[in-house]
Amino acid sequence: MNASHEKKYTGVAILLHWLMALLIVCAFTMGLVMTSIPGLTPTKLKYFSWHKWLGVTVLGLACLRLLWRLFHPAPPYPASMPRWQIGAAHLLHLLLYVLIFAVPISGYFYSLAAGVPVVYLGLFPLPVLIDPNPGIKDILKLTHSTLNWVLLGCVCLHVLAALKHQFIDRDTILKRMM
C-alpha cells in the first residue's frame, strides 16, 4: 500500500460515513417536519413511519460501521496536529458513535412505550422488547429529543472542525474522508 492510501479511510468507511451522514440529516429533518404537523393526519403517520425506517437503517449501518472500524483503524492524524486537538477529536468521535446508537435505540423504545410497534419498511416487525408504558413514554420522548439535539450539536462541531482543518490549518484531515 502506498503512502497516500495509508492516510485515508478505506472506501467502505468513507461510504458508510457519508451514507450515514445523509440518512441522519434526513431523519432529523423528517423528525422536525413530522412533529410540527398538528394533530394526527395520514401525512404525519406516513412521516413517522419513514422516520422510524431511517432510524432502523442508521442503527443497522452503525453496527456495520463499528464492526468495520474495529478491524480497519482510522488513519493517523497529521504530525502537526496538537495533542489537545487529537484528544478532542477522539472524544468527539466517541460521542458521535455513542449517539448514532443511542438516538435510534431511544426512538425505538419511545415508540414501544407509546404502544406503537416498529415495522421496518412496513414489512418486518421488530421485536417488542417492552410493553406499552405511559409512565416512561414521556421520559423516552424527552430522551430521544434531547439526544437528537446533542447529536446535531456534535455534528455541527465535527463539520466546523473539518472545515477549520481544510481552510485554516490546510492539513489533510478532510481529505482522509473524501
Side-chain angles (χ1 to χ4, degrees):
M1 185 181 298
N2 66 36
S4 66
H5 285 10
E6 291 172 3
K7 296 181 182 182
K8 286 186 71 163
Y9 282 90
T10 64
V12 171
I14 293 168
L15 174 67
L16 289 171
H17 175 273
W18 291 110
L19 179 58
M20 289 181 66
L22 174 66
L23 294 176
I24 288 168
V25 167
C26 289
F28 185 84
T29 304
M30 182 69 62
L32 290 178
V33 169
M34 71 188 196
T35 56
S36 69
I37 298 172
L40 197 58
T41 67
T43 299
K44 187 173 188 172
L45 291 173
K46 179 172 51 174
Y47 289 173
F48 265 93
S49 291
W50 293 351
H51 177 78
K52 290 176 188 183
W53 300 346
L54 287 167
V56 171
T57 303
V58 166
L59 183 58
L61 291 173
C63 292
L64 289 174
R65 186 170 178 183
L66 183 59
L67 282 172
W68 187 262
R69 178 72 185 268
L70 290 174
F71 296 101
H72 302 86
Y77 289 105
S80 61
M81 194 166 160
R83 276 184 94 112
W84 73 267
Q85 284 185 17
I86 293 172
H90 285 304
L91 185 61
L92 183 57
H93 284 118
L94 176 63
L95 186 53
L96 285 166
Y97 270 96
V98 168
L99 289 166
I100 64 174
F101 283 93
V103 168
I105 290 170
S106 66
Y108 173 62
F109 279 102
Y110 163 53
S111 188
L112 294 177
V116 183
V118 178
V119 182
Y120 186 59
L121 304 175
L123 300 171
F124 308 103
L126 272 59
V128 177
L129 300 176
I130 62 170
D131 292 327
N133 187 333
I136 64 170
K137 180 184 95 168
D138 290 337
I139 293 167
L140 288 168
K141 180 180 181 180
L142 178 62
T143 300
H144 184 61
S145 176
T146 302
L147 289 173
N148 268 288
W149 288 106
V150 172
L151 178 59
L152 175 65
C154 289
V155 167
C156 289
L157 188 57
H158 181 66
V159 169
L160 288 172
L163 294 173
K164 174 217 177 261
H165 281 280
Q166 179 67 23
F167 297 111
I168 295 173
D169 298 344
R170 298 189 185 280
D171 58 23
T172 60
I173 292 294
L174 187 58
K175 290 177 184 164
R176 297 174 347 143
M177 191 50 80
M178 300 304 277

